[in-house]
């Protein structure tokens, strides 16, 4: 019996011995015994004992029984509507606790522990059975916080987890069930064979969501943000969000979208934002986030949206926004991003005041039985890592569902924690309506075929209670179906399908970008006096505080960069960009692993006071009216955190939102967010984002996992100006890039391949004056080259530029070295202008550090159409980089030499894939021979 299991076999003498220890020092016994004796002491001190009561050991046995129900009652519930529950031992029979049938009529003071006073054992058991073993089963005994644990005990045991609703609420539940059930039946009849991912078997989700909104609004919430998979989405859109039925019916007609810029998506992936009144007359905002088929991906996205709303609309008041994540039973237990999201839920940078998790538990995956889909007892066991309570509810008991929801909402409002409601139902059809589930679950689906729907069950219950008669039920059915028929007729009149705006009011003043927007960047320079002021503020340390001497020296060095003749390094350019935006009222949020200091110890945006845990953030002390600067060290997660920051950007178009990878290639742990959201959301859902990714990139001999940010992967996703891919080479250009991101009238995601060694490279510096004029430069021409003498033009990007100019200086030659800072959208006009400037050039080279099958080469080859161009790169490889420092240095040297034409290979003037350089295995073998 988990932590109380030892009690069932405990001898009376041992219990009395433990009791004496408790009286002497409560801390001398473990927590289970402490709770045990607390209940006994309460009864002993507050209630007079009569002569017919059992001895102390007898009372202990009953308290042990009570704790057994609290701990394990959820294993013996009536929560499964179509299956017989698995058997667990030992059961909760009184005999397993040292009690017998003869004890059933004896009165025990232990009844005080559950709030019913001294009571016969039979009454105590009946109370416990009703509370813990009916349509609601609760897991909560693992919660260590005593206040939380006692609050749940009191709330549940005082009401026996038993709904007690009047006629008005019962009719509301019936109405929502009628809408949910008949909506699915109507679609099945009118659009046979079309996929809709029916909610049938889980229709109580609709009254559950309705209860969340009504209860939450009553507790002060103004917004409800929903993330869910495809199953049941159409029903939620129609019967919770308020999307007109005619618009949904129209989408079944496969008509073109009314927005020419939108490719669109299947109807069961779409999102929307609506307002609706509650029954009490309060208007609330409802947002359903669009979601791809990657089921749990939307969870951290919704959490990020919620945090942005809390930060910016409600000044940190988490009671105003309720995030709701709807899970499937297979996905919540199978997808690791759920674990990442829950681990984030109580961290300062990511908390939202508690997410309501609803599991539509079909008890089967696509075709996989639940016993094959997880090792845990329940699909919701992940909730225990943050000690959230879990309510398992029979989805066929609509009132129990609403009761559990209301209790969960009260819990969230009081404790600001996540809460889980597991709706045990079934899936009436296969994975989709055309799938045959009897191939794989014949026994289950034989039971489901004969099982009545939840509305029918509830109608029978209300008729038995005298709340309605059969005529009332038929009248509601006719009314609902008449509404559907009228909307279907209306839908036939529409010529096109309509894309319902998602977060439309938030993006009202942001327009869609057009191709001409990318021809040239806007001016983003700021006044020199303002720059000096900002630099002074962010390099000043508070008086009376002691800092590490290296930090003091760093701040002094940064201050010196602002003096006449000073040079700004990369970190100072970045920090001044943030400072300038904050000073102009633009909030900045940066999140990533080690982002406060920076992976490479370059940023130091947050300083720790020496010999303390106190922190000081210079960027938060620019002026009293500045915008907020938030920088968070994230948990060791890419998928969950990037999803969260993407969601944050969806709700904050006037905030610079940044996610930073520890190393560039670590983004691949979050590839789903990049593929399904960042690169494609605007095409699919008309959803814009201005999220910035910092991906440290550069070949410096650190091996395969710390060299490449995988430029090629991002460029392969680029089309129709969907996002920006940049590899800057100067602090000034980086400064202007960050400011440009927020200063244009449209928004696009931005991927920046940030440097590592360049952070401290003596040549990678900028004058302060460069920040005061102009804007971002998509292409930086070679200002030192004499066009008349240039015979070879080397195009490159990123760190390699500094190796090339160093080599040219040694050679004393006249090549032009041109930097393509923005790879996408490709700066065609600027490249044409560069080519025209060198009319005598005989050879054009693209030089990159990456292997020939990686980096930007394939992309450059497609877009570089004005002239032939020669590749210089590492040999094609399945791995981004070698693990051998010597081979790395050899290849790096060959790239530099070949860029300048130093090569005797027959392919020198055709295409260079460095075939003359040894492969790693042969290099290692030859090196071993010589050594």
């Amino acid at each position: 019996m988990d932590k109380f299991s030892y009690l069932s076999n405990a001898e009376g003498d041992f219990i009395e011995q433990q009791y004496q220890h408790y009286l002497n020092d409560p801390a001398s016994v473990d927590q289970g015994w402490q709770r045990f004796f607390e209940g006994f002491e309460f009864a002993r001190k507050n209630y007079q004992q009569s002569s017919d009561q059992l001895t102390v050991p007898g009372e202990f046995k009953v308290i042990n029984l009570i704790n057994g129900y609290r701990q394990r009652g959820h294993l013996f519930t009536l929560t499964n509507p179509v299956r017989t529950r698995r058997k667990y031992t030992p059961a909760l029979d009184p005999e397993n606790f040292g009690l017998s049938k003869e004890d059933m009529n004896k009165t025990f003071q232990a009844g005080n522990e559950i709030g019913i006073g001294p009571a016969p054992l039979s009454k105590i058991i009946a109370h416990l059975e009703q509370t813990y073993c009916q349509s609601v089963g609760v897991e909560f005994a693992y919660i260590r916080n005593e206040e939380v644990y006692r609050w749940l005990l009191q709330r549940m045991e005082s009401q026996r987890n038993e709904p007690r609703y009047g006629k008005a609420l019962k009719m509301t539940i019936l109405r929502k069930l009628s809408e949910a059930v008949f909506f699915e039946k109507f679609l099945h009849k009118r659009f046979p064979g079309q996929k809709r991912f029916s909610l049938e078997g889980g229709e109580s989700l609709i009254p559950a969501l309705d209860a969340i909104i009504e209860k939450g609004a009553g507790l002060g919430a103004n917004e409800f943000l929903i993330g869910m998979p495809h199953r049941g989405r159409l029903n939620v859109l129609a019967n919770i969000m308020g999307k007109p039925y005619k618009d949904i019916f129209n989408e079944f007609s496969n008509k073109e979208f009314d927005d020419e810029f939108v490719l669109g998506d299947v109807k069961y992936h779409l999102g929307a934002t609506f307002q609706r009144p509650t029954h009490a007359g309060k208007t609330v905002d409802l947002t359903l986030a669009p979601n791809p088929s990657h089921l749990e991906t939307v969870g951290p996205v919704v959490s990020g949206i919620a945090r942005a709303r809390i930060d910016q609309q409600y000044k940190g008041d988490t009671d105003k926004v309720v995030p709701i994540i709807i899970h499937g039973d297979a996905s919540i237990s199978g997808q690791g991003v759920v674990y990442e999201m829950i681990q984030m839920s109580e961290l300062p940078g990511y908390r939202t005041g508690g997410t309501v998790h609803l599991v539509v538990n079909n008890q089967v995956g696509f075709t996989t039985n639940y016993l094959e889909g997880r090792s845990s007892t329940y699909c919701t066991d992940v909730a225990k890592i943050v000690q959230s309570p879990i309510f398992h509810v029979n989805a066929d008991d609509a009132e129990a569902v609403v009761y559990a929801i209301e209790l969960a909402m009260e819990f969230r409002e009081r404790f600001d924690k996540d809460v889980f409601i597991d709706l045990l139902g079934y899936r009436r059809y296969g994975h989709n309506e055309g799938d045959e589930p009897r191939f794989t679950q014949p026994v289950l689906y034989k039971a489901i075929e004969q099982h009545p729907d939840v509305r029918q069950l509830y109608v029978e219950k209300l008729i038995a209670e005298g709340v309605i008669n059969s005529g009332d039920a038929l009248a509601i059915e006719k009314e609902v179906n008449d509404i559907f028929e009228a909307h279907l007729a209306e839908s036939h009149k529409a010529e096109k399908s309509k894309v319902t705006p998602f977060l439309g009011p938030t993006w009202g003043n942001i327009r869609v970008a057009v191709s001409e927007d990318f021809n040239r960047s806007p001016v983003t320079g700021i006044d020199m006096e303002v720059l000096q002021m900002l630099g002074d503020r962010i390099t000043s340390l508070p008086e009376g505080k002691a800092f590490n001497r290296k930090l003091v020296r760093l701040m002094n060095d940064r201050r010196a960069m602002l003096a006449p003749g000073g040079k700004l390094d990369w970190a100072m350019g970045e920090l001044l960009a943030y400072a300038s935006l904050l000073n102009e009222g633009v909030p900045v949020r940066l999140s990533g692993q080690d982002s406060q200091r920076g992976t490479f110890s370059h940023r130091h945006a947050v300083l720790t006071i020496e010999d303390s845990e106190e922190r000081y953030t210079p960027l938060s002390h620019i002026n009293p009216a500045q915008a907020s600067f938030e920088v968070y060290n994230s948990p060791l997660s890419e998928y969950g955190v990037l999803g969260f920051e993407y969601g944050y950007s969806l709700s904050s178009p006037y905030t610079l939102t940044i996610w930073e990878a520890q190393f560039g290639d670590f983004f691949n742990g979050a590839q789903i967010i990049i593929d399904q959201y960042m690169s494609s959301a605007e095409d699919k859902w008309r959803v814009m984002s201005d999220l910035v990714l910092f991906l440290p990139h550069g070949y410096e001999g650190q091996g395969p996992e710390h060299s490449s940010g995988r430029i090629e992967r991002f460029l392969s996703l680029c089309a129709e100006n969907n996002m920006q891919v940049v590899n800057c080479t100067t602090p000034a250009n980086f400064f202007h890039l960050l400011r440009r991101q927020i200063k244009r009238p449209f928004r696009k995601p931005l991927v920046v391949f940030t440097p590592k060694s360049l952070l401290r490279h003596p040549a990678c510096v900028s004058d302060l004056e460069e920040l005061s004029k102009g804007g971002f430069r998509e292409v930086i021409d070679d200002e030192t080259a004499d066009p008349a003498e240039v015979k070879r033009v080397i195009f490159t990007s990123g760190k390699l530029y500094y190796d090339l100019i160093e080599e040219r200086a040694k050679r004393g030659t006249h090549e032009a070295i041109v930097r393509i800072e923005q790879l996408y959208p490709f700066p065609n006009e600027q490249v044409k202008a560069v080519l025209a400037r060198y009319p005598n050039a005989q050879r054009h080279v693209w030089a990159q550090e990456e292997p020939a099958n990686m980096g930007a080469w394939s992309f450059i080859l497609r877009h570089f159409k004005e002239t032939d161009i020669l590749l210089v790169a590492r040999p094609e490889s399945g791995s981004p980089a070698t693990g051998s420092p010597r081979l790395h240095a050899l290849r790096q040297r060959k790239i530099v030499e070949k860029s300048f034409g130093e090569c005797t290979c027959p392919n020198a003037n055709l295409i260079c894939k460095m075939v003359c350089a040894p492969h790693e295995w042969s290099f290692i073998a030859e090196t071993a021979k010589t050594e």
Side-chain angles (χ1 to χ4, degrees), residues 93 112 156 265 271 396 427 579 588 623 687 701 720 730 765 842:
D93 301 326
N112 291 301
M156 293 187 295
D265 198 353
D396 270 359
R427 187 185 67 195
V588 176
N623 72 67
V687 172
E720 298 182 315
T730 73
V765 292
Q842 299 172 1

Side-chain angles (χ1 to χ4, degrees), residues 36 241 249 268 425 437 517 525 602 726 786 797 871:
F36 184 93
M241 303 295 296
F249 298 156
Y268 40 80
D517 288 324
H602 74 288
V726 173
D786 182 350
S797 185
L871 169 68

Side-chain angles (χ1 to χ4, degrees), residues 317-338:
D317 187 351
T318 57
D319 289 338
K320 299 299 183 185
V321 179
V322 178
I324 306 164
I325 308 298
I326 301 171
H327 309 268
D329 53 307
S331 60
I332 191 174
S333 60
Q335 297 288 303
V337 70
V338 177

Side-chain angles (χ1 to χ4, degrees), residues 344-396:
M344 293 161 59
S345 67
E346 297 187 11
L347 300 178
Y350 311 94
R351 63 166 63 106
T352 59
T355 295
V356 180
H357 298 268
L358 280 170
V359 181
V360 179
N361 193 334
N362 299 314
Q363 307 186 63
V364 64
F366 196 140
T367 64
T368 304
N369 281 316
Y370 72 99
L371 292 174
E372 301 169 316
R374 64 177 186 266
S375 298
S376 59
T377 301
Y378 296 110
C379 64
T380 50
D381 280 358
V382 69
K384 297 173 185 176
I385 62 175
V386 289
Q387 298 181 60
S388 292
I390 306 165
F391 299 91
H392 303 282
V393 192
N394 188 326
D396 270 359

Side-chain angles (χ1 to χ4, degrees), residues 177 180 198-207 360-362 395-396 423-428 454:
L177 285 177
S198 163
L199 187 58
E200 289 170 87
E203 297 99 330
S204 58
L205 174 68
I206 300 305
V360 179
N361 193 334
N362 299 314
D396 270 359
L423 302 178
L424 269 293
Y426 54 92
R427 187 185 67 195
R428 187 164 293 279
V454 61

Side-chain angles (χ1 to χ4, degrees), residues 665 699 703-710 712 849-851 854 874-875 877-882 891:
D665 52 339
Y699 280 61
E705 270 68 60
H706 295 119
S707 297
S708 176
R710 297 285 190 171
E712 67 280 356
E849 297 183 299
E850 301 84 6
M854 300 179 189
R874 279 176 166 78
S877 172
S879 174
T882 178
R891 286 178 172 172

